[in-house]
Amino acid sequence: MQVKTIAFYHWIFPFGGAETVTCNLGRYFAAQGFRLLVYTRHLVPELLTKEIQAIFELHLLPNTTRGNTPDNIEYLCESLNAEQVDVLIIQGATDFPFREVHPRIRSKVIFCMHSIPLWEAYVARSKRCSDLPKQAFMRKLEFLLVRKPADLFTDKQKRRALKLYTGFFSSIDRLVTLCPEYGEEMERLIRKSGCPGSDAPTGKFISICNPLPPSVLPIDQQMPKEKIVLYVGRLARADKRVDRLLTIWHKIESSVPGWRLQILGSGEEMEALQKQATRLGLERIDFLGYRTDVAAFYRRASFICLTSTFEGYPMSLVEAQQYGVIPVSFDSFASIHRITRNGEAGIIVPAYNLRKYAKTLRAALINETLQKQMREKCYLAAEQYAQERIGREWLRLFKEL
């Protein structure tokens, strides 16, 4: 189909990874002459740069509580039709009123998943008693004896998560995942569910990686690296589990003199992680908070580490590779094999084995020959995410709609 106007839907904008993807795609689409809109329930004024406001027409929904309220449904239907939106890209927001809006608009609807399939189940399983909003004794007891065991030892949460996607699958035109492995898993799950539309052609499932914007700072492959290990991302327990990285660093810090661990990011775990670092007696660790100048840290660092329970397609690793930083990660999500080219452009550690991770990381920190070889592979690996290349994949998708 011929596309002139593209709209994105976010529950909050701009904010995190999915919103960054929208901004990166927006730069490419704007250069191609498309008109771009963003619909959202929450705008974050302090993050709205002049560039973002120049690229996107911003539409704030009337009701900020939920996406699927009657007033939001009416607003979306009227606005999407009035603005003659050809393609609506929903960036991971499962609260969008798919069934109510899709039949009433002319737009083709694309839903993009920004994590692993059924990631909601992993988040539910990670909940702790201390996360409960009300700390009454009987509520704690019920959580510990009933809900937590059910979450851990049954597929209850996966079935609940799958129901979200099967509920709107017939009301979208394409389901976009971050890599073929995720697409194949979602296709298998949806077909097995027998939900409306589950017999759709395989072409309804598409895999497109997130784009990597042009480097902010010049990339000098001959620039010497410093003895720095990075973590870049949110400080959240449900998925990121940065506490594991601190435990690993505690195991090796004394045996790798001169090396520092730098934590870039903010989140609800910041205070707990700082207390853990103090309790472990870590001496060469820096909590640097949320930073907008991440590229400057990538230029200097040698390694970037993740110890996540799950990830989608962590762009921090890809962005770091662009500057020759070597990723180290647990084998806890399928895309890590593509990012590291099966261990050529990064290091993969068996999932959740902290002892193995510490041993492997220490060996890499003291092996300069390995670092040089992997760094060269990292520069090459990052090229596959070039904005122009990923942008062309989106243009092909638009033509197929």
Side-chain angles (χ1 to χ4, degrees):
M1 67 178 291
Q2 185 176 6
V3 176
K4 295 181 180 179
T5 302
I6 303 167
F8 295 86
Y9 177 88
H10 292 269
W11 77 272
I12 185 170
F13 184 86
F15 186 66
E19 294 75 47
T20 299
V21 172
T22 289
C23 292
N24 292 340
L25 287 174
R27 294 183 185 98
Y28 176 81
F29 291 153
Q32 306 303 310
F34 293 105
R35 176 172 168 243
L36 303 173
L37 297 78
V38 167
Y39 290 86
T40 184
R41 289 192 285 120
H42 298 279
L43 284 171
V44 185
E46 59 269 27
L47 298 181
L48 284 174
T49 64
K50 290 182 179 179
E51 181 194 27
I52 290 175
Q53 295 179 71
I55 291 175
F56 299 102
E57 299 173 28
L58 303 174
H59 292 254
L60 184 63
L61 271 61
N63 194 319
T64 61
T65 56
R66 298 194 326 275
N68 58 354
T69 59
D71 45 352
N72 283 344
I73 292 169
E74 290 304 313
Y75 177 82
L76 285 165
C77 292
E78 292 177 9
S79 181
L80 289 167
N81 287 326
E83 300 290 352
Q84 297 184 320
V85 172
D86 299 302
V87 177
L88 172 62
I89 300 173
I90 300 170
Q91 296 284 39
T94 55
D95 73 331
F96 184 86
F98 299 90
R99 285 175 291 185
E100 295 84 0
V101 171
H102 187 256
R104 297 174 55 187
I105 60 175
R106 62 184 292 273
S107 318
K108 295 293 185 181
V109 178
I110 300 172
F111 182 83
C112 297
M113 295 181 63
H114 285 280
S115 192
I116 61 171
L118 310 188
W119 63 269
E120 297 90 345
Y122 291 90
V123 172
R125 287 176 172 179
S126 72
K127 283 187 178 179
R128 298 170 293 180
C129 193
S130 57
D131 297 327
L132 295 175
K134 296 181 180 179
Q135 296 294 313
F137 174 76
M138 291 305 295
R139 188 174 176 85
K140 288 183 179 180
L141 196 63
E142 184 263 346
F143 176 82
L144 292 171
L145 297 181
V146 180
R147 289 170 54 193
K148 188 67 174 179
D151 290 346
L152 291 176
F153 303 116
T154 72
D155 63 353
K156 173 186 172 183
Q157 291 297 342
K158 285 192 173 183
R159 283 187 277 110
R160 180 177 292 178
L162 180 59
K163 192 175 181 179
L164 282 173
Y165 298 93
T166 57
F168 65 70
F169 184 70
S170 63
S171 299
I172 61 174
D173 297 286
R174 291 292 187 277
L175 177 65
V176 177
T177 57
L178 293 169
C179 66
E181 292 85 352
Y182 296 162
E184 291 166 6
E185 184 175 354
M186 283 305 297
E187 181 175 1
R188 178 183 62 81
L189 290 167
I190 287 175
R191 294 206 187 287
K192 185 178 178 180
S193 75
C195 71
S198 61
D199 58 348
T202 297
K204 187 169 181 176
F205 301 86
I206 303 292
S207 295
I208 303 179
C209 294
N210 289 332
L212 185 63
S215 58
V216 176
L217 298 175
I219 295 174
D220 180 2
Q221 296 191 14
Q222 305 306 315
M223 180 178 176
K225 289 288 188 175
E226 298 179 28
K227 291 185 174 183
I228 294 173
V229 177
L230 285 182
Y231 168 82
V232 179
R234 290 178 294 107
L235 304 183
R237 182 178 176 83
D239 51 351
K240 301 301 183 182
R241 289 300 303 271
V242 185
D243 59 299
R244 292 171 177 154
L245 181 56
L246 269 58
T247 299
I248 290 164
W249 191 246
H250 173 64
K251 293 177 182 294
I252 68 171
E253 185 183 52
S254 62
S255 62
V256 286
W259 285 88
R260 296 194 72 83
L261 174 62
Q262 296 187 330
I263 309 292
L264 276 67
S266 59
E268 67 269 18
E269 285 287 289
M270 172 68 88
E271 184 178 352
L273 291 170
Q274 290 175 327
K275 288 181 178 178
Q276 181 187 1
T278 301
R279 186 172 66 253
L280 293 175
L282 301 181
E283 297 179 354
R284 298 193 303 280
I285 183 170
D286 305 308
F287 289 92
L288 302 173
Y290 177 80
R291 303 293 297 242
T292 57
D293 57 340
V294 181
F297 292 88
Y298 287 148
R299 288 186 77 186
R300 297 164 51 209
S302 296
F303 292 87
I304 182 168
C305 290
L306 282 182
T307 49
S308 305
T309 298
F310 66 90
E311 289 279 352
Y313 213 104
M315 290 307 292
S316 61
L317 300 189
V318 177
E319 291 168 358
Q321 283 180 317
Q322 187 180 32
Y323 291 91
V325 187
I326 301 166
V328 185
S329 173
F330 282 135
D331 190 3
S332 56
F333 51 100
S335 62
I336 190 60
H337 293 272
R338 291 183 175 269
I339 292 171
T340 65
R341 294 190 170 182
N342 290 315
E344 291 184 0
I347 297 169
I348 306 174
V349 182
Y352 319 132
N353 189 328
L354 271 61
R355 183 177 298 179
K356 181 72 172 178
Y357 197 120
K359 181 179 179 181
T360 304
L361 179 59
R362 180 188 178 281
L365 296 186
I366 62 177
N367 190 335
E368 294 185 6
T369 302
L370 174 71
Q371 292 175 35
K372 185 176 184 298
Q373 292 172 346
M374 279 200 170
R375 189 166 296 122
E376 292 171 356
K377 299 286 187 180
C378 286
Y379 289 122
L380 294 173
E383 293 176 1
Q384 64 186 309
Y385 307 103
Q387 198 171 73
E388 183 75 23
R389 181 174 178 175
I390 302 301
R392 287 196 299 268
E393 292 188 40
W394 277 96
L395 297 185
R396 284 196 292 272
L397 171 55
F398 295 158
K399 288 182 179 179
E400 294 170 1
L401 290 172

